Amino acid sequence: MGTYACNMLIYPKSTYPLINNIRKTFYFPLRNCTFQTPREFSFGKVHCQLGAPNAEDTGKPENKVEKPRYKWVEIGTNITEAQKKAIAQLPPTMTKRCMAVMKQIICLSPQKGSLSGLLAAWVRRMKPDRADWLAVLKELKIMDYQLYLQVAELALLEESFEANVRDYTKIIHDYGKQNRLQDAEKILLSMKSKGVICDQITLTAMIHMYSKAGNLKLAEETFEELKLIGETLDKRSYGSMIMAYIRAGMPKQGETLLREMDAQEISAGREVYKALLRAYSMTGDSEGAQRVFDAIQCAGIPPDVKLCGLLINAYGMAGQSQKAGIAFENMRRAGLEPSDKCVALVLAAYENENKLNKALEFLVNLEKGGIIVGKEASEILAGWFRRIGVVEEVELVLREYAVGEANFKVPSSPLAFAHSEPNDRLIGYP
């Protein structure tokens, strides 16, 4: 038995009388069909291939359907009011080449063709240079950000644009800001396929993007790739990776990079320190929060009220109300005016440890210092005093300590706030 592949069958003798004795070759549209020959013949199976013979067999080229070219028609007055308004807002200083393509882009419709076809037609007709491309992209970025990204990506394919590594980086960064991870990776792959070498700025943009997307693994891989290119890492590179660790709930790894930066005398930005301090604060890691707070001062960054509040919160969540109070007093000694949020954090720390006397002493000291308890701190006090049923007793104690006009008699005081909701009071100590 034999198996034969063919795309034609040769009949030496026709069965039809009108064409008898004429040798004909017929092509049949067959593919992957099997003809079983009679058993008395030993020809076996003949495998035939569907379709007409290909170009290689006939020597004739295949006819390919080409997309119609964009039909460039000068923009007249027969356009919509919105299009007229957009064209009127174009800067008059634009060159004629740029003005022409901007009008075409504004008036583009599916019936006229595609955006890529439009740009190709512009290149053929007007031979723009890089300056023209940049002018068009600048205007599009203001007019329509999504359209700008489309044109910027198409511009990378045009020789007249003379794309460089920074052009790729800008698009990657723009996609990163919109969390369009796949689009950014596509640009990176296109960049590498064309032999454009990734530099520090490009890879840093990728790390920042992976960090925002919560993809720690890719961020780490890109950071290692960044180290291998041999360039010195800067604070943006380190900062992006530290933020990736913070977002992944791994502040200690971020702090390790912070020490690595310090060893190289690279100072991290204020926002990076603040993010790391907040990460420790929200988990009640007072030791980590204190280390970062000290690092902030060593870096020459003066702590503000918000940074001090994060340190106070860390001690409060860790059940260390005494240290929370010390951090509050250190803030005052540094000349910072405590916010109501900081006062509330100290009171919450005392409440968590049920240290009412300490809280009262703290309030008296605030009063002596001319600090009025605000709404947030008042709500904490009022809720605490109502739960233990000592609103009136505490008011009497505070009046004994008061010097001059007591701040607690004004409607915004915590005790006035507590008295305003008598139905919610609990009788007796729990």
Side-chain angles (χ1 to χ4, degrees):
M1 298 289 287
T3 301
Y4 302 89
C6 66
N7 63 354
M8 68 178 182
L9 297 178
I10 301 176
Y11 289 84
K13 186 175 181 179
S14 173
T15 57
Y16 295 94
L18 294 178
I19 57 172
N20 199 16
N21 298 324
I22 300 176
R23 182 182 178 89
K24 293 281 187 178
T25 301
F26 298 90
Y27 288 94
F28 291 86
L30 306 172
R31 184 181 298 276
N32 297 329
C33 297
T34 301
F35 289 85
Q36 181 68 52
T37 56
R39 292 187 179 276
E40 58 268 26
F41 299 108
S42 59
F43 297 122
K45 294 182 180 180
V46 180
H47 291 280
C48 298
Q49 194 171 12
L50 271 174
N54 56 36
E56 293 179 358
D57 295 331
T58 62
K60 296 180 180 180
E62 293 181 347
N63 293 326
K64 294 183 179 180
V65 180
E66 294 185 358
K67 293 182 179 180
R69 286 188 174 186
Y70 177 83
K71 188 175 181 180
W72 188 286
V73 179
E74 295 300 326
I75 304 300
T77 57
N78 189 23
I79 56 178
T80 65
E81 290 299 322
Q83 291 170 343
K84 290 179 181 179
K85 184 178 179 181
I87 291 174
Q89 292 177 349
L90 294 175
T93 55
M94 291 187 78
T95 63
K96 291 182 179 180
R97 283 194 297 263
C98 296
M99 186 69 73
V101 75
M102 285 299 299
K103 289 180 180 180
Q104 295 288 331
I105 292 173
I106 291 171
C107 300
L108 179 64
S109 65
Q111 293 75 21
K112 289 185 177 181
S114 63
L115 181 60
S116 59
L118 188 159
L119 295 175
W122 182 50
V123 172
R124 288 194 305 269
R125 287 172 63 89
M126 300 187 177
K127 305 296 188 294
D129 56 18
R130 179 171 173 80
D132 295 323
W133 280 103
L134 293 177
V136 169
L137 290 173
K138 180 181 178 181
E139 192 60 32
L140 284 173
K141 196 169 188 177
I142 300 171
M143 186 180 73
D144 189 328
Y145 193 76
Q146 298 304 321
L147 186 58
Y148 151 75
L149 286 173
Q150 294 179 46
V151 174
E153 191 170 340
L154 290 170
L156 297 174
L157 306 175
E158 296 291 342
E159 291 184 7
S160 58
F161 182 58
E162 300 175 2
N164 57 43
V165 62
R166 201 59 58 240
D167 297 316
Y168 287 93
T169 304
K170 286 179 181 178
I171 300 177
I172 290 173
H173 180 69
D174 290 334
Y175 279 140
K177 288 193 296 186
Q178 297 185 350
N179 294 324
R180 294 171 60 177
L181 185 61
Q182 292 183 346
D183 290 325
E185 289 179 329
K186 182 181 69 175
I187 297 298
L188 183 65
L189 290 174
S190 174
M191 176 181 174
K192 291 180 176 179
S193 67
K194 293 181 180 179
V196 182
I197 300 175
C198 297
D199 63 2
Q200 181 181 359
I201 299 175
T202 305
L203 294 177
T204 298
M206 294 299 297
I207 295 171
H208 180 69
M209 182 184 64
Y210 289 136
S211 171
K212 287 180 61 180
N215 197 326
L216 179 62
K217 182 179 179 181
L218 287 177
E220 288 180 322
E221 290 176 357
T222 309
F223 188 69
E224 291 302 317
E225 183 181 352
L226 183 56
K227 288 182 176 180
L228 293 175
I229 66 176
E231 295 186 25
T232 303
L233 303 181
D234 61 6
K235 71 176 187 178
R236 288 176 58 86
S237 305
Y238 275 112
S240 297
M241 194 62 229
I242 292 173
M243 292 302 297
Y245 281 125
I246 292 173
R247 291 186 175 104
M250 302 166 65
K252 289 186 178 180
Q253 285 80 347
E255 189 181 357
T256 300
L257 288 182
L258 198 63
R259 288 195 292 268
E260 188 177 316
M261 292 177 68
D262 184 59
Q264 299 180 37
E265 298 183 353
I266 302 173
S267 178
R270 185 185 188 91
E271 290 305 313
V272 173
Y273 280 111
K274 186 176 180 180
L276 192 56
L277 178 58
R278 183 185 292 108
Y280 280 127
S281 176
M282 293 300 105
T283 57
D285 189 339
S286 58
E287 293 182 0
Q290 186 64 63
R291 287 196 306 270
V292 176
F293 192 82
D294 293 340
I296 290 173
Q297 297 178 83
C298 291
I301 300 175
D304 57 14
V305 174
K306 291 183 178 180
L307 293 176
C308 293
L310 289 172
L311 181 62
I312 294 170
N313 181 70
Y315 281 121
M317 291 190 66
Q320 299 173 310
S321 60
Q322 182 180 1
K323 291 186 176 180
I326 293 173
F328 183 88
E329 292 303 320
N330 289 339
M331 177 179 63
R332 293 183 64 188
R333 292 192 191 99
L336 297 174
E337 183 70 21
S339 65
D340 186 52
K341 179 69 175 179
C342 291
V343 174
L345 288 171
V346 175
L347 290 173
Y350 286 132
E351 181 186 7
N352 289 338
E353 298 180 38
N354 200 27
K355 293 183 177 180
L356 181 58
N357 291 334
K358 284 289 185 180
L360 296 178
E361 183 181 345
F362 175 68
L363 290 173
V364 171
N365 289 333
L366 289 181
E367 182 183 352
K368 290 179 179 180
I371 300 174
I372 299 177
V373 178
K375 181 180 179 181
E376 186 173 355
S378 297
E379 289 175 349
I380 289 178
L381 278 175
W384 186 8
F385 293 163
R386 285 199 302 268
R387 279 193 293 274
I388 62 178
V390 294
V391 175
E392 295 179 359
E393 291 84 344
V394 172
E395 186 174 14
L396 290 175
V397 173
L398 290 174
R399 282 175 178 172
E400 293 178 2
Y401 282 101
V403 178
E405 184 179 356
N407 292 321
F408 293 94
K409 294 180 181 179
V410 300
S412 61
S413 71
L415 297 180
F417 187 89
H419 281 306
S420 66
E421 299 178 12
N423 295 331
D424 294 336
R425 289 179 54 186
L426 299 178
I427 306 301
Y429 194 86

